[in-house]
Amino acid sequence: EAEVAQSPRYKITEKSQAVAFWCDPISGHATLYWYRQILGQGPELLVQFQDESVVDDSQLPKDRFSAERLKGVDSTLKIQPAELGDSAMYLCASSLGPRQNTEAFFGQGTRLTVV
Amino acid sequence: KNQVEQSPQSLIILEGKNCTLQCNYTVSPFSNLRWYKQDTGRGPVSLTIMTFSENTKSNGRYTATLDADTKQSSLHITASQLSDSASYICVVISSGGSYIPTFGRGTSLIVHP
């Protein structure tokens, strides 16, 4: 069964270090989302891609976060430098497109701990 | 500002009992509403997707309702099982251009034997 792949599953990093997460969406899915989920809260959209273009990144802290999807397939989310408050689950999701009734499938997430 | 409010924040029930989770939203323009189940430490899994014209949709023991006039939705779980213990998240998709999702904070459900 096709699934959204994310790596690593867990990451521990020291503050001020750089960290990167990778996401491989389901084949053929044009829309890709990155979310941040703090423990006990719902996911917060960081960035939405349509193919290789950014559709929405209004909630992305651009001074330290960057995201790219160069060939419109897999994507990387980077944090530099990491801060203690960045500790969270980072979820990637993909869908065939942004239209209504198009189901979004989530990966297992990357649990980031900044020490 | 688009918002999704869920209640209760947490709920504890006994196995076999029914329960109902609530979702109120102010997202506009409305495209569709989704309920997700998220097990601890895992990514969310879709339960239902409802459009403006749908009032009720079922998925096994899960039944979602939507009242687009009052901007309210509910998720009813029948004959709860231990495996229903999870966080249930309501997501409302705006149709304004890029179909941006707005997530609720979720309801944490614990089913005790």
Side-chain angles (χ1 to χ4, degrees):
Chain A
E1 181 178 321
E3 62 179 27
V4 176
Q6 287 189 249
S7 66
R9 284 295 309 277
Y10 304 93
K11 179 70 177 179
I12 300 174
T13 190
E14 294 181 347
K15 67 177 182 178
S16 80
Q17 295 297 304
V19 63
F21 315 129
W22 177 78
C23 172
D24 190 13
I26 293 172
S27 178
H29 281 196
T31 306
L32 185 147
Y33 312 81
W34 280 104
Y35 295 91
R36 175 172 60 186
Q37 185 175 28
I38 296 171
L39 193 64
Q41 298 184 19
E44 170 195 15
L45 179 67
L46 293 176
V47 61
Q48 177 178 338
F49 287 94
Q50 181 63 26
D51 298 310
E52 67 276 7
S53 300
V54 173
V55 170
D56 185 278
D57 63 355
S58 56
Q59 300 303 312
L60 187 71
K62 298 180 186 64
D63 57 335
R64 297 184 300 107
F65 286 64
S66 64
E68 59 182 18
R69 193 184 184 198
L70 294 177
K71 297 182 179 180
V73 182
D74 59 338
S75 176
T76 302
L77 178 69
K78 297 179 181 178
I79 307 175
Q80 182 174 16
E83 296 180 353
L84 296 178
D86 296 331
S87 295
M89 174 79 87
Y90 290 82
L91 293 163
C92 178
S94 72
S95 66
L96 283 171
R99 303 179 66 80
Q100 68 176 20
N101 294 352
T102 302
E103 185 170 346
F105 295 86
F106 284 81
Q108 296 299 318
T110 294
R111 169 70 67 186
L112 173 67
T113 301
V114 182
V115 297
Chain B
K1 179 181 178 182
N2 290 337
Q3 287 188 316
V4 175
E5 300 289 339
Q6 291 189 245
S7 63
Q9 184 174 355
S10 61
L11 182 63
I12 301 174
I13 62 174
L14 292 176
E15 185 179 13
K17 297 296 186 181
N18 303 335
C19 67
T20 300
L21 314 180
Q22 300 291 341
C23 173
N24 297 337
Y25 62 92
T26 60
V27 175
S28 181
F30 175 87
S31 173
N32 63 87
L33 183 146
R34 306 166 183 218
W35 283 94
Y36 285 87
K37 177 186 179 186
Q38 185 175 23
D39 293 318
T40 301
R42 310 291 292 271
V45 174
S46 178
L47 294 175
T48 64
I49 300 176
M50 301 183 72
T51 60
F52 185 88
S53 60
E54 296 175 302
N55 299 120
T56 303
K57 182 171 280 189
S58 293
N59 178 0
R61 294 179 298 102
Y62 301 101
T63 300
T65 66
L66 174 64
D67 185 334
D69 292 331
T70 61
K71 298 187 177 181
Q72 296 178 327
S73 176
S74 66
L75 180 69
H76 185 75
I77 304 175
T78 303
S80 61
Q81 301 176 358
L82 298 179
S83 59
D84 292 332
S85 295
S87 179
Y88 292 83
I89 303 173
C90 177
V91 185
V92 182
I93 311 297
S94 167
S95 61
S98 303
Y99 296 92
I100 304 298
T102 302
F103 282 71
R105 295 170 67 97
T107 291
S108 176
L109 174 66
I110 298 175
V111 180
H112 278 165

